[in-house]
Amino acid sequence: EAGVTQFPSHSVIEKGQTVTLRCDPISGHDNLYWYRRVMGKEIKFLLHFVKESKQDESGMPNNRFLAERTGGTYSTLKVQPAELEDSGVYFCASSSGVLAWVNEQFFGPGTRLTVL
Amino acid sequence: SQQGEEDPQALSIQEGENATMNCSYKTSINNLQWYRQNSGRGLVHLILIRSNEREKHSGRLRVTLDTSKKSSSLLITASRAADTASYFCATSGPSGTYKYIFGTGTRLKVLA
């Protein structure tokens, strides 16, 4: 069974540009999450999809970030326009758990975003 | 202060020694997981322990959970140079919430 995949693995852009990150969850997983780790800090939750619906987007830092999951399969996270402080590693995770009790999340390898 | 704080922040040991990392959290949880991140790579799942469990083993890894103290520990026995990585605990809960809350991690360095 394929794991969570993310593309690209690394992206280098200039301040003000737009970047779109993609995540393909494990097949059949309704729950999809985005997290990010800014240099030297903890990994922070961004948002949670259940199928195509945003269940919790309390961690999204500002309106420069837009996440979508059309059709309830893969998800994209767009940053527009990118700022220096957006640099970090963006992780995607998925889970099949209907109940939070059994919510084991499987993480992708991450996308390292560098904003110059 | 934040949920999921690891202690120590950094740990350096000799190969063959045991490494112990601790994690404290503040709210009630459904489960707690430990992850490893090698430099520049993704998160690797190590162990999940549910709130009604007290101890779990997986190979050279032993995890304990004390819900009364809101703390967990990860013990790596007979460490190897390949264990060098950052280790994170992540909590899920309280009931009804799905997001994981991570700590800042413990950077472990195992010297050959």
Side-chain angles (χ1 to χ4, degrees):
Chain A
E1 178 182 294
V4 177
T5 58
Q6 292 186 244
F7 181 82
S9 57
H10 193 181
S11 179
V12 181
I13 62 172
E14 294 191 349
K15 176 182 172 181
Q17 290 185 322
T18 297
V19 63
T20 300
L21 313 180
R22 173 172 170 144
C23 168
D24 286 79
I26 293 172
S27 178
H29 281 191
D30 288 339
N31 295 284
L32 186 149
Y33 314 81
W34 284 98
Y35 295 83
R36 75 170 179 177
R37 186 183 190 201
V38 174
M39 181 66 71
K41 297 193 176 180
E42 71 274 21
I43 300 167
K44 280 195 172 179
F45 167 84
L46 296 178
L47 87 161
H48 168 210
F49 283 100
V50 177
K51 297 184 180 178
E52 67 275 11
S53 300
K54 291 176 185 174
Q55 182 77 8
D56 180 354
E57 51 185 329
S58 60
M60 294 289 265
N62 52 61
N63 59 9
R64 294 187 294 104
F65 289 75
L66 175 65
E68 294 180 322
R69 193 184 182 194
T70 306
T73 54
Y74 71 91
S75 174
T76 58
L77 179 64
K78 180 190 289 187
V79 184
Q80 180 183 27
E83 298 290 344
L84 298 178
E85 63 264 26
D86 300 332
S87 295
V89 181
Y90 289 76
F91 293 101
C92 176
S94 71
S95 74
S96 63
V98 174
L99 301 173
W101 177 261
V102 294
N103 180 31
E104 182 171 346
Q105 296 181 18
F106 297 86
F107 281 77
T111 292
R112 181 174 295 278
L113 175 63
T114 303
V115 182
L116 303 176
Chain B
S1 55
Q2 58 193 331
Q3 183 98 325
E5 297 184 7
E6 281 93 341
D7 164 49
Q9 291 188 340
L11 180 61
S12 185
I13 59 175
Q14 294 290 326
E15 204 166 32
E17 293 181 336
N18 296 340
T20 299
M21 289 159 268
N22 303 297
C23 167
S24 60
Y25 57 92
K26 298 193 182 306
T27 64
S28 62
I29 63 171
N30 292 316
N31 60 55
L32 183 147
Q33 300 204 49
W34 284 91
Y35 288 88
R36 182 185 73 222
Q37 184 187 22
N38 293 84
S39 179
R41 300 189 178 183
L43 290 169
V44 174
H45 175 257
L46 297 177
I47 289 184
L48 178 151
I49 186 166
R50 306 194 195 285
S51 60
N52 63 347
E53 298 176 314
R54 293 295 167 258
E55 185 172 315
K56 285 191 84 168
H57 296 256
S58 177
R60 296 184 294 112
L61 306 180
R62 172 178 170 252
V63 168
T64 61
L65 179 64
D66 187 335
T67 53
S68 66
K69 295 181 180 178
K70 291 186 168 58
S71 68
S72 174
S73 68
L74 169 67
L75 168 67
I76 303 174
T77 60
S79 64
R80 305 167 182 167
D83 294 329
T84 295
S86 291
Y87 291 81
F88 299 90
C89 69
T91 55
S92 174
S95 179
T97 61
Y98 282 71
K99 63 184 178 186
Y100 277 178
I101 299 177
F102 285 83
T104 52
T106 293
R107 294 186 308 278
L108 173 66
K109 186 170 185 178
V110 181
L111 304 170

